[in-house]
Amino acid sequence: MLFSCFIICLYGIFQYLFGFRYVLELLREQRIVYPFAVEWLNRKRIFATFFSPNAYAGYLTMLLPLCVYVRRIEKKDLSVRLFLIIMALCITNLILTFSLGGICSILLACLCILVLKKQKKHTSLSISIAIFIVLLVLLYSRYQSNSALLNPTLSYTHRLLYYKEALSMVARQPWRGIGIGNFEGKSSLFVHNSYLQIWIEMGFVGFVAFISLVGIAMKKGIQRINAQSGLFCAFIAFAIDNLLSFTFYLPETSWIWWIVVGFIVC
């Protein structure tokens, strides 16, 4: 997983340095109208081999903590240096996605790990304050940017519409669900909240079963927090990210999360 992440991150850097101009020219030549793609390309938001920067960020939020975990248990100096390089590439790529949800997810996951590990009081307080400052700066900068939070074309506005539509579907059929893969909204195939979409498709019993699985993994992770903090951080980051995204429904990201869950509970 980490080796493939290394290759994808190298491609992400290549894309940032050289790729966007040619893709924009191709879109213009072929007269392809895709506003979201044009926005990503103009802002140089990398997405590597994924279909969107946010999906790529969801992938990186898991692989970055896994690099930390493997580096801690690896004994060979050469391997340690390699994992440090992969970590640096993951951080760089995550920043270049400009994904507010992905970056906030990894920061909040780190904050959770810090609290659960019960570090020295002054150390925990200093790092917590630093994380909160970074989160506030990110939110403020996004608000002040051209894509302000009140912009009607911004994804936040779209998400509110997705949630409203999804909640109305839950209200109509809360217990049985509509079946896995059957959700099809008016403007999106995903709710952009994996938990809510699971409830819609699997019904209340399926939703409770999934939340129970998450709860079991959380309990096991907390019990082994000192030995498996990197694994648990990857698990939490993915869980937080899926409050605002749908990477759980993407095989290229969800299979990694299931492997992480397996390592935590076994």
Side-chain angles (χ1 to χ4, degrees), residues 242-259:
N242 273 270
L243 289 169
L244 295 171
S245 71
F246 52 88
T247 49
F248 178 78
Y249 281 85
L250 304 178
E252 58 268 37
T253 53
S254 62
W255 75 277
I256 300 173
W257 185 74
W258 284 114
I259 291 174

Side-chain angles (χ1 to χ4, degrees), residues 100-166:
L100 184 61
I103 295 172
C104 288
S105 296
I106 192 69
L107 290 174
L108 289 172
C110 291
L111 185 61
C112 291
I113 296 298
L114 185 69
V115 171
L116 291 170
K117 288 187 74 171
K118 298 178 181 178
Q119 299 285 347
K120 293 180 181 179
K121 188 175 256 188
H122 65 278
T123 304
S124 298
L125 182 62
S126 301
I127 298 176
S128 300
I129 291 173
I131 290 175
F132 274 119
I133 290 173
V134 172
L135 289 171
L136 288 173
V137 169
L138 286 170
L139 291 170
Y140 181 76
S141 62
R142 177 60 63 88
Y143 182 79
Q144 292 294 327
S145 69
N146 293 330
S147 298
L149 292 177
L150 299 178
N151 189 326
T153 64
L154 192 63
S155 59
Y156 299 102
T157 307
H158 288 296
R159 279 182 171 84
L160 292 176
L161 295 175
Y162 302 152
Y163 299 156
K164 184 178 180 180
E165 184 179 2

